[in-house]
Amino acid sequence: MSAPAKALGEQGTVVALCGGVGGAKLAFGLSHLLGERLTVIVNTGDDFEHLGLHISPDIDTVLYTLSDRANRELGWGRKDESWNFMKALAEIGGEGWFQLGDRDLALHVERTRRMRAGDRLTDIVVDFARRFAIPSRILPMSDDAVRTSVVTRDEGVLPFQRYFVERRCQPVVEEVQFQGADSARMSAEVEAALSSADLRAVIVCPSNPYLSIDPLLSVPGISQLLADASAPVVAVSPIIGGQAVKGPTAKIMSELGIPATNATIADHYGDLIDGLMIDEADAAEIGQLAVRATISATLMRTDDDRCRLAEDVLAFAETLAETGSGRRP
Ligand code: GDP
């Protein structure tokens, strides 16, 4: 891995907005470079109750990825996993559509116990991250419940995990909804991170804009803080060559009747971002984007890729801060 860089000078803080697997890869690189200067605000729209447990899939992906506990073969869950619980559950007729590994289960059981005892999700996640020796701060987007659901053409409204895991993203999506968003409050920690006078950059990770980043932006106040931030807001596109690296981003774009291009991603984030980083394979698209853009190798296969992309995106943010972004003087 590359040595920690002196990205964005040696002081100041950076906030990353992140969903699950795609976002967590860049958050890993940012965390490696920035350590305690980084706060990762994570989507909780995918959270749900299952078997009596509170599950936070994106938060857990970030916790496992940043502490090198992620299962890279499966692409989700914990490494060195065993499945005795699932086998025993099947024996007694329990629901088997959502896999919970034996080690993974510990996080869900302890989180649920602490939430029932009245602890905030924020405090629980900050504590888990500390126990996993993650130097960066990981924050849920809100302590209030915001629940993503998908309005499908043929199967009605599906809660997110039923759509994503049980139905494997097959139903055609007509609309994405965020129940509870109107009354959700951002936590004091999220507000402080985004309004800090030390803030040097906000990085929108290459997560699914519709399913992972939009829920976060639906929490009242977060979009406004991004708009008011004195630091540049930079997104890394999750679309490469008209396709998603993984998951249903491009499929959903097509179902919503919009082209799976970087121009669509730029338009989607609109005035919320000052810059978009796209993949070198899409260099020809750069002139069509309604935002300052730059190219990089954005496909993250190795830890080095993650750190290099993190360096590139921080350097881009620094350039925007120095030269003025177009939107901000
Ligand atoms: P999920 O909640 O686990 O689906 O994860 P995210 O929403 O964080 O990430 C899904 C998105 O990440 C998809 O749109 C992918 O195209 C994108 N993605 C995954 N890996 C990469 C990568 O290495 N580079 C880029 N640019 N995008 C990626």
Side-chain angles (χ1 to χ4, degrees):
M1 262 192 284
S2 51
K6 291 175 184 161
L8 283 182
E10 294 193 339
Q11 283 165 3
T13 57
V14 172
V15 169
L17 308 184
C18 185
V21 177
K25 290 195 278 184
L26 182 58
F28 173 98
L30 291 166
S31 179
H32 184 72
L33 296 184
L34 296 164
E36 61 191 24
R37 294 168 59 195
L38 176 72
T39 297
V40 189
I41 302 177
V42 186
N43 171 41
T44 55
D46 300 6
D47 286 23
F48 72 127
E49 273 283 311
H50 184 59
L51 306 174
L53 299 173
H54 181 100
I55 318 262
S56 299
D58 283 357
I59 284 180
D60 295 352
T61 295
V62 173
L63 284 170
Y64 290 152
T65 303
L66 267 56
S67 66
D68 215 3
R69 285 172 169 76
N71 189 322
R72 295 186 189 221
E73 287 76 45
L74 281 179
W76 52 269
R78 249 186 104 132
K79 69 181 176 187
D80 303 325
E81 194 54 284
S82 56
W83 303 95
N84 296 309
F85 169 74
M86 290 308 294
K87 285 182 206 141
L89 186 67
E91 244 171 33
I92 54 171
E95 280 190 79
W97 62 275
F98 194 88
Q99 300 284 308
L100 294 169
D102 298 336
R103 286 173 190 267
D104 185 35
L105 205 49
L107 215 56
H108 311 308
V109 169
E110 179 61 3
R111 172 174 37 229
T112 306
R113 182 194 70 75
R114 287 186 58 174
M115 287 177 79
R116 292 209 176 121
D119 284 2
R120 292 186 314 150
L121 183 60
T122 297
D123 291 326
I124 299 168
V125 172
V126 166
D127 191 34
F128 287 171
R130 184 178 60 78
R131 288 170 187 275
F132 281 175
I134 297 172
S136 307
R137 208 147 55 119
I138 300 173
L139 299 176
M141 65 191 199
S142 175
D143 288 315
D144 296 327
V146 177
R147 295 292 169 259
T148 302
S149 58
V150 172
V151 182
T152 68
R153 189 186 61 194
D154 305 315
E155 301 180 28
V157 179
L158 295 178
F160 181 78
Q161 296 299 341
R162 293 273 173 191
Y163 161 78
F164 197 73
V165 177
E166 190 177 33
R167 298 288 295 113
R168 297 172 192 275
C169 308
Q170 280 164 7
V172 174
V173 173
E174 293 189 327
E175 196 191 333
V176 183
Q177 297 179 337
F178 310 115
Q179 261 102 37
D182 289 351
S183 54
R185 293 153 300 169
M186 62 184 151
S187 64
E189 289 85 347
V190 165
E191 185 167 8
L194 284 173
S195 51
S196 164
D198 289 334
L199 186 65
R200 296 295 187 87
V202 178
I203 311 296
V204 182
C205 291
S207 288
N208 185 320
Y210 309 94
L211 297 177
S212 295
I213 301 296
D214 279 0
L216 229 149
L217 299 176
S218 77
V219 176
I222 292 190
S223 294
Q224 194 56 48
L225 285 178
L226 294 184
D228 294 345
S230 54
V233 180
V234 176
V236 177
S237 177
I239 292 291
I240 303 179
Q243 310 223 312
V245 177
K246 170 194 154 288
T249 309
K251 176 176 179 283
I252 288 177
M253 290 169 90
S254 136
E255 290 163 3
L256 295 175
I258 45 181
T261 61
N262 293 299
T264 307
I265 302 291
D267 292 346
H268 182 74
Y269 288 133
D271 282 347
L272 281 183
I273 59 168
D274 300 297
L276 181 69
M277 178 166 271
I278 65 170
D279 192 72
E280 55 194 3
D282 296 330
E285 293 180 27
I286 207 157
Q288 303 149 23
L289 305 175
V291 65
R292 284 269 299 270
T294 189
I295 57 167
S296 178
T298 72
L299 188 60
M300 295 169 280
R301 290 198 185 90
T302 64
D303 288 352
D304 271 340
D305 291 342
R306 298 168 175 190
C307 294
R308 192 198 24 74
L309 183 59
E311 274 189 41
D312 285 357
V313 77
L314 292 173
F316 181 40
E318 193 161 24
T319 307
L320 290 175
E322 279 166 5
T323 59
S325 63
R327 176 163 70 100
R328 294 171 218 273

